[in-house]
Amino acid sequence: MINRNSRNTLRFLTRFHHHQHNPSSQFTSKTVFDENCKQLKRNVLPTENKAFNFFNPLTNFFKNKQLGHGISCGILQKCYYGSMGGAVQRSSRFSELNDDDVRYFEEILGKKNVVQDEDKLSVANIDWMHKYKGSSKLILQPCNTDQVSQILKYCNSRCLAVVPQGGNTGLVGGSVPVFDEVIVSLSSMNNIISFDKVSGILVCEAGCILENIMSFLDNEGFIMPLDLGAKGSCQIGGNVSTNAGGLRLVRYGSLHGNVLGVEAVLANGTVLDMLKTLRKDNTGYDLKHLFIGSEGSLGIVTKVSILTPPKLSSVNVALLACKDYSCCQKLLQEAKRKLGEILSAFEFLDGQSMDLVTNHLEGARNPFSTSHHNFYVLIETTGSDESSDKQKLEAFLLGSMENELIADGVLAQDINQASTFWRIREGISEALMKAGAVYKYDVSIPVENLYNLVEEMRSRLGDAANVIGYGHLGDGNLHLNVSVSQYDEKILSQIEPFVYEWTSKKRGSISAEHGVGLMKANEIFYSQSHETVQMMASIKNLMDPNHILNPYKVLPHSITS
Amino acid sequence: MKIMVTVKRVIDYAVKIRVKPDKTGVVTQNVKMSMNPFCEIALEEALRIRESGLASEVVAVSMGPSQCVDTLRTGLAMGADRGIHVEANDSMYPLFVAKILKKLVEIEKPGLLILGKQAIDDDCNQTGQMVAGLLNWPQGTFASKVVLDKEKQVATVDREVDDGIETLCLNLPAVITTDLRLNQPRYATLPNIMKAKSKPIKKFTPKELNVDIKPDLEIVEVTEPPKRKSGVLVSSVDELIEKLKHEANVI
């Protein structure tokens, strides 16, 4: 096939996986789903026959029909739910939705934006990991802040529980209903309001998809200070509400530093306009920080103003192989010193993660195909001078090799190779989903102890599970994942509360960046003192006295019920 | 047997191209440049042939401004043994490249000349064919598979053509241009990057090679292709027929 336009040929054939991540396309249509659920009900083991509200799938039906970009659309017939679901009871303080409510919403939003369609509901009720399933009957799609305000004012007066939802890519069950909460989707509010080319300050609505913002900024010569694997689907409102970390935190810092202003709507409909575009503003209490990371439990974020760094021309990515974890640590120290200001990402993954990705992800291959290594480190540098950055990086890498910190390494020679390396790191979550069920933990521990948790978990579980560890080594953040063929209470009891206790003993955080959501709401005491949590509860009672915003999440049930 | 491979420094294929406001070309300032992907494949094939024992040396050649040395270094880091840089600051049109290559072939005497089928900046797809004509060597273009037979001194090349796959048998020395599915190029590993630093790069100028590269082509204008208009949702079959009749003029 002689294709005259080689650029397009290349783009079609050498798939550019890096930017494709559309978890919502993994959901099945309603009929297939119900079919599976009926089948699952028949196959439930006697031991699982408790008064719990969750299924235990036994078979992983997975037709391997992927569409080129690593997305399996509609054919991924997995449905697992697990963990917390059954232990929570629906609170009696919340009313049930009735037709009058629906009519009222139709009046303020228009019929088109009031969704009761079963297919759309089944998608919105399940989280990305297929772990949590709600039973909401209504999705509302407001188009502006005023509508959000009216919705909340009404729900507050009627005591209707509400779940704000963005891209639904959260990993702790925080973005889906637990029971029949009304879903308020921010997806329609996706306008970029303004961008200042001199300061790099961007103002946009909460429903803008991160990747779309990145494309817009790319045109202007800027980049977003955060980057994560879910960028194709996640929305900036959700990122801000969960204080998302991501791959560039080691260089640009957290959202608490980059978000300059927030517009949020409180539970009673009050609109708090804190949408400043100023770098410095010390006037009173800086309330926007309450909304950054509170996971929608204190208010719905409707607009964000964020400081974006300029796009620098020289980006270099290297993938390195290390023989043990202490080499990775020393490499981090050296990198911070030798690469200094140009270091923009420092990620690590263990040999088991690499195997998982190469086995389950289409098109992913191990650059070190001839040898097996125990650890891999991905380093990215971003600077303004191509030749000097490359020299710096090469000198650092060759020096590290001479000092035996690295066993081997590859340096990306073009953007495509760089994307392939990133795909390996960013694709681990996807590969885990394809491999079966996964128990996912995200902890922050002092760097020297980071990998010990993985090794201890591995020896605890033995052959029962594939334990992998990877994460943002530059920030001391480990993503511990236990991959099993199906969810199993026995395995879970070996993992929890051990993992939380271990983390707590090292004075670490049980949730470095994923947030608390539903999954860890009752475990928050492992990382926060009782007094602190009591203060959080007081603030919650002040800002949302009826507790309609994202109930059952973030704070322990013992405190909020 | 020596293998000569040409590598071209082009705008990285993943970069979004922008046309200069004065329409004389595309923006190349501050834009990431890399080795032409087809040249990477050509070099990879040459390296594989050398590794299988059928060749003794792989020489990488690049023509253009001084930054071409970076591309040559990448080639050396992938595994090429030597580099040749022909320094020229004017645009390198296929015919000039072919003429210079002819002179280099006369100096180096390789048994096989491998090029990428086309460069992604000009999409000419001419250099391989032209140099084969100038040298009077057989050519196998759009190669998707290359098998060498040292004893018989022939190369069997599978070519991707519009009708399917055509298999040719070429007597060596020959010219081969590579297509996408020939192989997957290797990464530049650190040990190889280290070795590459000491590999020699020889410099030539077109004048030394007695090649006149005064351009006989003039680029008049470079514009973007017309933007694709968005689609229109029609509400009924009648409306569709009406639009096909009057707007699209297809029925």
Side-chain angles (χ1 to χ4, degrees):
Chain A
M1 178 181 76
I2 303 171
N3 193 313
R4 303 292 163 201
N5 188 341
S6 58
R7 205 174 276 273
N8 281 339
T9 319
L10 283 168
R11 213 166 261 156
F12 173 70
L13 291 165
T14 334
R15 296 132 196 186
F16 213 150
H17 295 285
H18 191 54
H19 295 294
Q20 294 294 335
H21 181 102
N22 196 346
S24 56
S25 65
Q26 289 172 339
F27 295 120
T28 63
S29 69
K30 180 220 173 192
T31 44
V32 178
F33 205 36
D34 279 349
E35 197 57 52
N36 289 343
C37 291
K38 284 189 211 134
Q39 208 165 343
L40 292 169
K41 274 194 186 141
R42 275 182 261 132
N43 288 335
V44 167
L45 290 172
T47 50
E48 304 314 316
N49 208 359
K50 304 171 192 172
F52 271 65
N53 181 24
F54 75 102
F55 292 93
N56 197 344
L58 298 182
T59 356
N60 173 6
F61 323 99
F62 183 27
K63 286 195 203 139
N64 212 339
K65 208 169 154 210
Q66 285 147 320
L67 304 179
H69 293 274
I71 305 170
S72 22
C73 291
I75 302 166
L76 177 57
Q77 294 162 20
K78 290 203 282 189
C79 48
Y80 327 96
Y81 323 111
S83 259
M84 267 229 72
V88 197
Q89 302 287 356
R90 186 189 184 283
S91 171
S92 52
R93 65 160 90 195
F94 299 129
S95 317
E96 290 205 12
L97 196 66
N98 60 38
D99 290 329
D100 290 328
D101 300 323
V102 178
R103 257 194 298 273
Y104 179 79
F105 292 132
E106 280 176 354
E107 265 172 58
I108 43 170
L109 301 175
K111 261 204 154 136
K112 203 167 56 115
N113 294 323
V114 176
V115 176
Q116 292 178 285
D117 173 61
E118 302 247 4
D119 288 333
K120 298 209 177 115
L121 274 168
S122 68
V123 169
N125 266 314
I126 304 172
D127 75 319
W128 185 75
M129 289 182 57
H130 305 251
K131 209 174 166 199
Y132 301 99
K133 182 175 194 259
S135 37
S136 169
K137 303 273 186 321
L138 189 67
I139 306 172
L140 300 176
Q141 295 174 325
C143 297
N144 56 47
T145 308
D146 191 50
Q147 287 179 353
V148 176
S149 168
Q150 288 184 56
I151 293 173
L152 286 184
K153 189 164 178 202
Y154 181 77
C155 290
N156 194 30
S157 65
R158 276 274 293 134
C159 271
L160 286 169
V162 157
V163 171
Q165 191 178 84
N168 196 5
T169 56
L171 301 170
V172 287
S175 53
V176 291
V178 183
F179 300 106
D180 58 343
E181 298 92 284
V182 173
I183 298 174
V184 176
S185 166
L186 277 297
S187 303
S188 302
M189 295 177 59
N190 58 5
N191 293 317
I192 292 179
I193 298 173
S194 73
F195 180 65
D196 180 340
K197 283 189 233 243
V198 175
S199 58
I201 297 177
L202 172 79
V203 180
C204 63
E205 290 181 325
C208 293
I209 294 178
L210 186 61
E211 195 165 35
N212 292 346
I213 304 178
M214 286 170 152
S215 312
F216 167 78
L217 288 174
D218 193 68
N219 255 338
E220 307 285 336
F222 287 82
I223 57 168
M224 277 300 267
L226 83 160
D227 188 6
L228 41 152
K231 58 186 147 224
S233 304
C234 67
Q235 295 170 11
I236 189 69
N239 291 141
V240 167
S241 301
T242 51
N243 190 21
L247 308 158
R248 295 199 184 127
L249 198 133
V250 69
R251 168 78 167 251
Y252 299 113
S254 92
L255 281 177
H256 280 291
N258 292 308
V259 171
L260 300 178
V262 156
E263 182 195 71
V265 182
L266 297 177
N268 63 8
T270 311
V271 176
L272 280 186
D273 179 2
M274 305 169 291
L275 202 64
K276 298 273 177 60
T277 52
L278 306 166
R279 219 37 192 94
K280 301 164 92 170
D281 179 22
N282 281 349
T283 50
Y285 306 149
D286 200 352
L287 293 181
K288 68 172 186 283
H289 290 292
L290 279 177
F291 297 96
I292 304 174
S294 54
E295 305 180 44
S297 62
L298 294 180
I300 297 188
V301 170
T302 47
K303 294 199 184 85
V304 170
S305 104
I306 187 162
L307 180 66
T308 66
K311 178 167 118 173
L312 298 174
S313 51
S314 147
V315 177
N316 285 302
V317 179
L319 188 62
L320 314 164
C322 299
K323 67 175 192 297
D324 58 36
Y325 181 67
S326 74
C327 289
C328 297
Q329 269 185 66
K330 290 194 199 112
L331 198 63
L332 173 61
Q333 285 174 295
E334 284 298 302
K336 284 197 165 156
R337 243 170 252 288
K338 299 269 167 61
L339 296 176
E341 71 283 2
I342 61 168
L343 181 68
S344 58
F346 196 102
E347 301 286 310
F348 94 107
L349 51 144
D350 59 12
Q352 288 86 342
S353 310
M354 176 65 91
D355 292 336
L356 197 78
V357 170
T358 44
N359 288 339
H360 292 271
L361 224 52
E362 196 201 294
R365 57 179 184 133
N366 186 345
F368 308 101
S369 44
T370 47
S371 43
H372 184 263
H373 297 272
N374 294 327
F375 289 92
Y376 300 92
V377 168
L378 190 149
I379 294 184
E380 182 191 73
T381 64
T382 308
S384 47
D385 189 333
E386 174 85 50
S387 47
S388 88
D389 284 359
K390 202 153 191 174
Q391 261 177 23
K392 224 176 185 174
L393 182 60
E394 269 181 23
F396 163 70
L397 293 176
L398 295 177
S400 306
M401 219 166 154
E402 277 164 30
N403 294 333
E404 297 193 357
L405 286 180
I406 22 184
D408 201 353
V410 284
L411 188 55
Q413 299 298 318
D414 55 40
I415 299 183
N416 187 36
Q417 287 186 1
S419 303
T420 331
F421 297 164
W422 271 118
R423 172 101 176 109
I424 294 174
R425 164 61 185 89
E426 285 185 311
I428 301 179
S429 299
E430 213 185 308
L432 281 164
M433 291 296 290
K434 297 207 172 111
V438 57
Y439 290 107
K440 203 178 266 289
Y441 299 93
D442 159 49
V443 295
S444 228
I445 355 182
V447 175
E448 59 286 352
N449 299 320
L450 207 81
Y451 202 69
N452 296 349
L453 179 56
V454 182
E455 287 171 341
E456 285 192 41
M457 189 60 78
R458 211 169 265 151
S459 59
R460 261 177 95 85
L461 294 175
D463 286 330
N466 181 16
V467 179
I468 71 168
Y470 62 95
H472 315 289
L473 190 56
D475 317 324
N477 184 188
L478 171 75
H479 290 311
L480 170 73
N481 282 264
V482 178
S483 176
V484 289
S485 50
Q486 69 223 34
Y487 285 120
D488 183 344
E489 278 297 296
K490 273 211 311 273
I491 296 183
L492 181 60
S493 61
Q494 288 279 78
I495 304 175
E496 291 184 28
F498 171 73
V499 67
Y500 299 134
E501 287 168 354
W502 197 99
T503 310
S504 182
K505 257 191 276 207
K506 305 275 186 277
R507 288 190 62 85
S509 163
I510 56 157
S511 183
E513 57 180 5
H514 290 170
V516 167
L518 178 64
M519 180 180 165
K520 302 176 200 171
N522 288 330
E523 270 76 33
I524 206 174
F525 293 112
Y526 283 102
S527 293
Q528 298 283 15
S529 72
H530 278 264
E531 295 80 13
T532 317
V533 180
Q534 280 296 345
M535 181 55 83
M536 291 184 201
S538 308
I539 295 176
K540 168 77 170 172
N541 287 332
L542 175 70
M543 294 178 72
D544 178 18
N546 291 328
H547 287 213
I548 60 164
L549 290 173
N550 229 358
Y552 319 108
K553 298 167 191 158
V554 184
L555 294 177
H557 302 145
S558 53
I559 298 225
T560 50
S561 55
Chain B
M1 176 178 77
K2 226 187 279 187
I3 306 181
M4 187 180 276
V5 180
T6 54
V7 294
K8 187 174 183 187
R9 179 174 179 263
V10 297
I11 296 180
D12 191 304
Y13 104 95
V15 167
K16 199 168 168 198
I17 306 290
R18 236 164 279 179
V19 177
K20 279 199 267 205
D22 59 6
K23 295 198 181 166
T24 55
V26 295
V27 175
T28 49
Q29 252 218 355
N30 270 336
V31 163
K32 174 121 181 129
M33 308 287 276
S34 321
M35 192 190 288
N36 183 32
F38 294 104
C39 297
E40 272 179 18
I41 296 174
L43 185 52
E44 173 66 24
E45 195 59 27
L47 295 171
R48 288 188 189 186
I49 295 174
R50 185 193 66 194
E51 279 160 9
S52 67
L54 297 168
S56 56
E57 202 185 18
V58 174
V59 183
V61 177
S62 193
M63 309 182 195
S66 57
Q67 295 96 323
C68 285
V69 174
D70 296 332
T71 316
L72 279 174
R73 288 271 166 230
T74 304
L76 295 174
M78 279 172 73
D81 300 292
R82 279 189 291 124
I84 295 179
H85 174 214
V86 179
E87 185 140 15
N89 283 317
D90 320 291
S91 328
M92 298 304 295
Y93 292 115
L95 186 55
F96 306 146
V97 175
K99 286 182 181 170
I100 294 176
L101 266 181
K102 174 166 184 259
K103 289 285 156 74
L104 289 174
V105 162
E106 284 162 15
I107 298 175
E108 293 280 340
K109 300 195 190 5
L112 197 56
L113 182 57
I114 312 185
L115 301 89
K117 76 171 181 185
Q118 65 199 65
I120 59 172
D121 52 5
D122 52 24
D123 278 331
C124 281
N125 194 341
Q126 296 165 7
T127 311
Q129 292 87 334
M130 283 177 174
V131 75
L134 289 174
L135 289 170
N136 212 13
W137 282 11
Q139 55 180 283
T141 53
F142 316 117
S144 66
K145 188 160 139 201
V146 173
V147 178
L148 243 61
D149 188 334
K150 200 165 189 179
E151 284 170 35
K152 294 199 209 131
Q153 284 286 294
V154 289
T156 309
V157 176
D158 281 2
R159 307 177 57 218
E160 288 189 4
V161 293
D162 289 334
D163 292 340
I165 308 267
E166 181 188 63
T167 308
L168 291 181
C169 204
L170 316 170
N171 287 328
L172 298 180
V175 173
I176 295 179
T177 71
T178 60
D179 209 330
L180 209 57
R181 274 158 290 270
L182 179 57
N183 61 45
Q184 213 172 16
R186 63 191 63 183
Y187 296 108
T189 61
L190 288 178
N192 283 341
I193 293 177
M194 198 147 57
K195 283 187 218 147
K197 290 194 189 295
S198 51
K199 290 181 186 170
I201 294 183
K202 190 152 185 213
K203 272 204 173 16
F204 285 102
T205 61
K207 228 186 178 130
E208 285 169 21
L209 299 170
N210 281 327
V211 176
D212 175 23
I213 58 166
K214 200 160 58 96
D216 49 6
L217 287 175
E218 181 196 333
I219 293 185
V220 176
E221 190 190 54
V222 176
T223 51
E224 266 187 40
K227 282 213 169 14
R228 196 166 163 229
K229 285 191 279 210
S230 56
V232 175
L233 281 174
V234 293
S235 50
S236 70
V237 176
D238 294 318
E239 201 187 329
L240 175 65
I241 295 179
E242 205 250 311
K243 279 198 190 289
L244 286 174
K245 240 191 213 169
H246 298 266
E247 283 182 31
N249 296 320
V250 291
I251 49 171

